Amino acid sequence: MTGSRLGPYEVADRLGEGGMGVVYRAVDTRLGRPVALKLLPPDAAADPERRRRFVQEARAASALNHPNIVTIYEADEHDGTAFIAMELVSGRPLDRVLADEPPPLATALELADQVAAALEAAHAAGLVHRDIKPANVIVTGDGRAKVLDFGLAKLVDRASTDETMSAIGTRAGMVMGTIAYMSPEQAQGLPVDARSDLFSLGAVLYEMLAGRRPFASDSDAGVLSAILRDPPPPLEAITRDVPAAVRALVSKALAKDPGARYQTATALRADLAAARARSTGGDAAWRRPAVFVPVAAVLLAVAAWGVWQTVEARRERWARVDAIAEIERLYHSGRTMHAVRLARDAERYAPDAIAQVRAAWQPFMLVTEPAGATIEARNYHDPEGAWEPLGTSPLQNVRLPLGYYRVRITKAGYKPLEVGAGVGRSPVVLTPETDIEPGMVFVPGGLYGFGVAPPVLLPDYWIDQLEVTNAAFKQFVDNGGYRDPKYWTMPLQMGGRALSFDDAMARFQDTTGQPGPATWELGSYPEGQADYPVGGISWFEAAAYAEFAGKELPTLYHWFRASGANEVQSDILQLSNFSGRGAAPAGEHGGVGPWGTLDMAGNVKEWAANEATGRARRYILGGGWNEPSYRFVEPDAQDPWDRAETFGVRLVRNLGPADQAAVPVGRVAPDPSSVVPVAPAQVEEYRQYYDYDRTPLDARVEATDDASSPVWTKETVSFAAAYGNERVPAYLFVPKQITPPYQTVVLFPTAYARQVPTSTALDLGTFEFLMKSGRAVLYPVYQGTFERRGNVQPGPMGLRDMFVHWAKDVFRAVDYLATRPDVDMDRLAYFSLSMGAYFGPIPVALEPRFKAAVFASGGLRYGYPAWVQPANFAPLVTIPVLLVNGRDDFGVSAAEQQRFHDLLGTPPAHKRRVVLDGGHVPQDIRELFKYTLDWLDTYLGRVR
């Protein structure tokens, strides 16, 4: 293994081996940092379920941030080998320290407190270590304890006592390490919780104090017997140097009954602190009042000052080194609110450094009508998590990591609202408490279109927060819904012929022949399912129920406007019911939309008012529990008489006429095969739009920033544009640790650049990884972005002009780089996430100096004028191209991603499409970073 490569890691030498696998020293070639690489044992790697749990547990543990916990950077697989990359700590394992001699009492208590602090943080995050022992504690040169392997021992949990006991003799599968530190419940194979870790820590502390383990025997079975039945030898019988308070503490930690043990690490730490205070003292002469009081005052003051300075120095170092690294890792792995909280905590000790971190985040803007609402947020995937206060609307100066959040909006006199929101969103209209529609949420209207369906003007409207439940639909049944024709106002037609009311009602029966949904029996829903969404109803029954309820079926436009299916993030799918196992209670999964609806993705499909053009079918939306998750954004049309168990409904109440939206709708999802490039000769004619005179650049370096980052220096430059009398501002980020000439990446930004008025707040988090890899990055301020936003005209001609100006800005940026002796023009790449990935085929086809390109979150565009249709230029692209897309990208379907890939003229061996978990932005953006750097390493060469 030594000297080989595992993904981006170059393996150096072997550090050791334990139950959880072999550990190697390695170097992360992307960031140039040393890491410890732990490989899953081969027997575990061969089991797909254990391998999956390994990665899952390691990723869960990677959420931990604490100075006494070894940081996990990532968990991954490469060529069938599962591994974790973690912080490489310089120090000695505690078991080797103890092999030399027991530490002094003060040191033992200090180390125990630090391990307890690590457990306190882990238990608060819901993680139990399960394998606390001296070998899993590293003692650094400055006396700090760092705990290894949080969460990983769960990988080898035994399911029963018999399995655990049978493993003792052979040790097969017993990869938890030495059993001498197991709690009684763990030794019996029973479920364990945080108290098990505290027992193990008690055993470690006992060994530090006594110089021997609390439970010893000649055999594993004997050790187990001692753990389960015998008290450890009294500490006072082994050493006289342990005070009574410490002995009592150890005894409580080692209680056989978990209920008699410390219940939390916090409680244990409190007793450790008290014991340390009592155990510090000196010669009795110093305690005489005449001597003690004045001397003690001076000594205490001096000691306090020294302790304070030491603590403050440690805190500042923690903030600048450990905390910032952890914030970045949390940010890129989707644990954005964890990053926000950690930044807030670290800001007290290193405010300037944290300000630099926040500069890589994006403005979170939220406007409410009326203003003055309190805004709080938490991670979207954490419905029960703590709310983080953001301020009062309108929010303008708040920065958050790129991500999707649950946002709570409250204002006295108005209905509280919880919605899903990215870093920017439409204004939220608050509803006075006197105007609330029970069980519904408000959605503002306006011009709205979805897919290729033509836009229509929607009125303001209310929509049910939840799907219509069985209990609600039973009111319709019990009130004669199937007997009274007044609710059935729509034509009851089948196959071109009209049915009588009685004939139609005969088709709407439950499994026992009673009127009701197809999923019911004896005129009612299954027992215990009152709060489940009603299923098994036809479009006609849904429309009749709407009449009964005094509401309307939503049109396709109403439904998609409220759903969040046009959001950039696809996080809603991870909190939606696509389980394949059946419906769930309405709202149980917690997938909230941008206006406060729940369960619009999955659970049951929901009938819409619109007829499909030219077909006797009605739209039904959102996908059902038995369908793939992409059906959330893929409109379906079904026979209105069908009564599948997944067919349900939610309703709207319009606050104005909605006739435009109720018309028949043809194709909604565009057809990727309809995008066909024009002939090459025609593209040659379009080139004239992009030609420009290579007039003098008049390049200037306006400013240099060498202080904002230890990784890069930022030069603010500008050069003459290729049109008008304009100048193109740009930022050149030069790596500090690399010798020129630099590999350089020309960046095209996300749509963020068109939303923010100033480039003083760049979206560093989306591209800083390139500088950390040792490459230079040029970030031009393109026409229509940041300070240059006001120069774009509406309409097709405005779109044409903007695209042409974008391309010319790219060309002039490359011209500028060619004037720099510190840039290697033979190693030049194009990179963009989203906006520039859609646009990318144009500049990459027309600029021959690019050697490689990465288009992330891009795809087809429909209805663009031919001279700016990227698909027309895609066949002219011949350089190596990497495409990276999210599996659940609401904006680019899998078919559109593949078509985009196929249209590129790059030889098949040098173009690749990678699909990652997540939506338009991958769920773990570090995956995007990894594939991008590997691609650049391959085609530009590795940075040296």
Side-chain angles (χ1 to χ4, degrees):
M1 190 70 192
T2 300
S4 63
R5 185 170 173 131
L6 197 65
Y9 300 101
E10 281 189 350
V11 180
D13 55 311
R14 180 167 168 156
L15 295 175
E17 182 174 1
M20 285 304 301
V22 183
V23 183
Y24 293 89
R25 187 194 317 272
V27 175
D28 185 340
T29 59
R30 298 165 300 185
L31 303 177
R33 69 180 171 193
V35 300
L37 212 60
K38 177 168 286 194
L39 277 58
L40 184 65
D43 63 324
D47 182 345
E49 176 60 18
R50 290 183 72 189
R51 191 165 61 245
R52 182 192 67 78
R53 290 180 64 194
F54 173 80
V55 174
Q56 177 182 342
E57 289 298 322
R59 286 178 175 167
S62 70
L64 295 175
N65 167 69
H66 196 274
N68 298 118
I69 297 175
V70 172
T71 301
I72 293 178
Y73 296 133
E74 71 171 329
D76 206 346
E77 295 181 64
H78 181 78
D79 291 339
T81 299
F83 66 89
I84 60 171
M86 68 183 81
E87 175 187 5
L88 182 62
V89 180
S90 177
R92 300 175 68 204
L94 181 57
D95 60 339
R96 296 183 189 174
V97 174
L98 296 179
D100 293 340
E101 62 176 331
L105 173 64
T107 301
L109 294 177
E110 170 66 20
L111 292 174
D113 180 66
Q114 293 184 42
V115 175
L119 293 175
E120 185 177 38
H123 296 164
L127 281 174
V128 178
H129 191 287
R130 294 174 169 82
D131 197 17
I132 292 293
K133 59 186 179 184
N136 274 339
V137 178
I138 302 294
V139 182
T140 66
D142 61 358
R144 186 155 40 126
K146 302 273 280 188
V147 182
L148 295 162
D149 288 354
F150 263 98
L152 302 189
K154 185 178 179 182
L155 180 68
V156 293
D157 265 2
R158 293 281 174 173
S160 70
T161 302
D162 290 342
E163 286 183 327
T164 303
M165 294 296 288
S166 66
I168 297 301
T170 63
R171 309 292 268 179
M174 183 59 72
V175 297
M176 296 183 200
T178 307
I179 64 174
Y181 306 94
M182 287 184 182
S183 66
E185 59 269 29
Q186 190 175 11
Q188 295 177 81
L190 300 173
V192 300
D193 57 24
R195 296 171 296 182
S196 178
D197 283 348
L198 302 182
F199 181 96
S200 300
L201 176 54
V204 173
L205 178 55
Y206 182 102
E207 185 173 355
M208 286 194 287
L209 298 171
R212 53 158 290 178
R213 294 172 180 171
F215 307 104
S217 177
D218 294 335
S219 67
D220 289 341
V223 173
L224 275 178
S225 177
I227 290 172
L228 295 173
R229 299 177 180 86
D230 303 334
L235 282 169
E236 59 267 31
I238 302 172
T239 175
R240 296 182 179 180
D241 295 333
V242 180
V246 177
R247 297 197 301 269
L249 180 155
V250 173
S251 178
K252 183 174 181 179
L254 291 175
K256 309 289 187 190
D257 179 4
R261 211 177 293 155
Y262 286 100
Q263 301 299 292
T264 65
T266 303
L268 173 57
R269 292 192 69 197
D271 279 5
L272 278 167
R276 289 166 67 191
R278 293 192 193 100
S279 63
T280 56
D283 186 89
W286 289 97
R287 299 175 191 165
R288 291 196 297 269
V291 177
F292 177 77
V293 174
V295 174
V298 174
L299 292 178
L300 284 174
V302 172
W305 173 253
V307 169
W308 180 82
Q309 287 214 317
T310 301
V311 169
E312 287 300 302
R314 284 187 177 180
R315 286 171 173 171
E316 183 177 358
R317 182 184 181 281
W318 166 78
R320 292 186 179 278
V321 180
D322 298 337
I324 288 179
E326 179 67 6
I327 289 166
E328 181 178 358
R329 189 182 59 79
L330 291 169
Y331 168 20
H332 290 318
S333 61
R335 299 178 180 89
T336 49
M337 199 53 70
H338 293 80
V340 171
R341 293 194 182 100
L342 182 55
R344 182 193 60 207
D345 293 342
E347 187 174 27
R348 291 175 291 175
Y349 311 118
D352 56 336
I354 297 303
Q356 293 173 16
V357 169
R358 289 202 178 101
W361 298 354
Q362 298 191 4
F364 185 91
M365 297 170 286
L366 195 149
V367 175
T368 63
E369 299 175 4
T374 298
I375 311 297
E376 303 165 284
R378 59 187 175 193
N379 284 338
Y380 188 84
H381 298 289
D382 190 14
E384 304 303 323
W387 290 103
E388 184 73 15
L390 299 182
T392 303
S393 65
L395 288 182
Q396 295 175 330
N397 299 316
V398 174
R399 298 183 73 86
L400 292 178
L402 176 66
Y404 203 56
Y405 298 90
R406 307 179 87 86
V407 176
R408 183 167 67 182
I409 305 168
T410 55
K411 182 177 174 66
Y414 292 84
K415 178 185 177 182
L417 188 60
E418 183 175 333
V419 301
V423 293
R425 60 155 299 142
S426 304
V428 176
V429 178
L430 302 181
T431 306
E433 292 176 343
T434 54
D435 298 339
I436 289 174
E437 290 280 353
M440 306 185 86
V441 296
F442 178 81
V443 182
L447 193 65
Y448 179 77
F450 188 80
V452 295
V456 301
L457 190 63
L458 284 175
D460 294 346
Y461 63 98
W462 293 85
I463 186 168
D464 288 343
Q465 184 177 36
L466 303 173
E467 303 139 313
V468 173
T469 64
N470 280 318
F473 199 83
K474 190 155 191 323
Q475 296 179 24
F476 169 68
V477 176
D478 292 347
N479 283 276
Y482 287 94
R483 299 191 302 271
D484 194 334
K486 71 180 181 182
Y487 302 123
W488 304 80
T489 58
M490 71 300 293
L492 298 171
Q493 292 186 328
M494 175 183 286
R497 67 184 182 89
L499 272 63
S500 69
F501 179 75
D502 290 340
D503 285 344
M505 295 305 105
R507 296 178 176 274
F508 302 142
Q509 296 179 353
D510 65 21
T511 57
T512 59
Q514 299 298 308
T519 55
W520 289 16
E521 61 181 26
L522 299 175
S524 188
Y525 47 82
E527 184 178 355
Q529 294 192 8
D531 294 332
Y532 283 64
V534 65
I537 60 172
S538 66
W539 179 87
F540 294 99
E541 291 164 281
Y545 175 77
E547 187 73 20
F548 165 79
K551 302 178 184 179
E552 302 166 62
L553 288 179
T555 69
L556 178 145
Y557 296 96
H558 288 92
W559 196 94
F560 277 117
R561 166 75 167 151
S563 70
N566 54 356
E567 291 283 333
V568 171
Q569 287 88 359
S570 64
D571 300 55
I572 190 173
L573 299 183
Q574 297 177 53
L575 291 177
S576 300
N577 181 18
F578 291 101
S579 65
R581 297 189 296 270
E588 179 181 79
H589 280 73
V592 65
W595 307 103
T597 54
L598 293 166
D599 278 342
M600 294 194 80
N603 223 19
V604 296
K605 299 159 74 80
E606 300 172 21
W607 285 110
N610 305 80
E611 186 176 17
T613 304
R615 304 162 66 194
R617 291 175 176 264
R618 298 281 177 168
Y619 281 100
I620 187 164
L621 309 171
W625 53 261
N626 61 347
E627 294 183 304
S629 59
Y630 63 76
R631 295 308 293 266
F632 172 48
V633 293
E634 189 173 86
D636 188 15
Q638 295 289 337
D639 186 329
W641 294 92
D642 281 357
R643 309 174 77 223
E645 61 180 329
T646 57
F647 289 8
V649 68
R650 86 174 65 215
L651 303 176
V652 299
R653 178 169 287 132
N654 285 302
L655 299 179
D659 298 340
Q660 289 185 34
V663 299
V665 175
R667 188 177 184 90
V668 178
D671 180 5
S673 65
S674 68
V675 179
V676 179
V678 299
Q682 189 66 50
V683 179
E684 289 303 315
E685 292 185 21
Y686 298 154
R687 278 183 182 267
Q688 64 181 316
Y689 289 108
Y690 301 93
D691 288 340
Y692 69 102
D693 295 325
R694 300 203 178 204
T695 54
L697 283 167
D698 187 21
R700 306 168 192 165
V701 177
E702 315 279 0
T704 300
D705 175 6
D706 194 45
S708 291
S709 170
V711 176
W712 44 259
T713 296
K714 180 175 74 173
E715 296 182 16
T716 303
V717 304
S718 68
F719 43 83
Y723 45 86
N725 295 314
E726 298 188 41
R727 293 188 65 79
V728 179
Y731 299 97
L732 181 63
F733 295 85
V734 178
K736 289 183 176 179
Q737 308 302 325
I738 303 298
T739 302
Y742 307 115
Q743 290 189 25
T744 304
V745 178
V746 176
L747 183 81
F748 202 100
T750 69
Y752 164 83
R754 299 193 65 194
Q755 300 165 355
V756 178
T758 172
S759 59
T760 57
L762 295 177
D763 48 338
L764 272 168
T766 62
F767 67 91
E768 191 179 28
F769 75 99
L770 294 166
M771 291 92 81
K772 290 182 177 179
S773 76
R775 294 175 171 89
V777 173
L778 182 65
Y779 191 139
V781 177
Y782 296 90
Q783 178 76 279
T785 69
F786 296 121
E787 295 87 352
R788 305 179 72 202
R789 289 190 305 167
N791 299 332
V792 177
Q793 302 301 314
M797 295 302 103
L799 179 67
R800 181 201 66 182
D801 291 344
M802 184 175 70
F803 269 42
V804 169
H805 290 161
W806 281 359
K808 290 181 178 180
D809 287 347
V810 172
F811 305 153
R812 291 295 267 182
V814 176
D815 290 344
Y816 169 73
L817 291 174
T819 69
R820 302 266 312 207
D822 56 351
V823 170
D824 186 345
M825 291 301 292
D826 290 328
R827 291 177 171 81
L828 188 67
Y830 175 95
F831 172 82
S832 182
L833 173 64
S834 190
M835 184 169 69
Y838 288 104
F839 164 71
I842 297 176
V844 171
L846 300 180
E847 175 50 77
R849 289 170 286 187
F850 286 126
K851 308 304 180 185
V854 177
F855 300 152
S857 304
L860 295 180
R861 284 300 198 211
Y862 300 89
Y864 276 34
W867 49 86
V868 293
Q869 168 56 266
N872 289 335
F873 295 82
L876 301 184
V877 175
T878 58
I879 64 172
V881 177
L882 172 68
L883 308 178
V884 184
N885 289 97
R887 182 171 286 105
D888 299 316
D889 191 335
F890 294 165
V892 191
S893 69
E896 291 168 332
Q897 297 170 18
Q898 187 62 49
R899 178 66 173 163
F900 187 68
H901 172 273
D902 294 344
L903 289 177
L904 294 171
T906 302
H910 300 292
K911 62 180 178 180
R912 183 184 180 191
R913 172 175 165 247
V914 173
V915 179
L916 303 178
D917 289 339
H920 193 61
V921 178
Q923 182 176 321
D924 188 338
I925 201 169
R926 294 175 301 177
E927 293 290 304
L928 165 62
F929 297 167
K930 181 177 74 172
Y931 280 106
T932 297
L933 295 179
D934 286 347
W935 192 258
L936 297 180
D937 283 351
T938 300
Y939 288 101
L940 299 186
R942 293 175 58 196
V943 175
R944 297 291 184 182

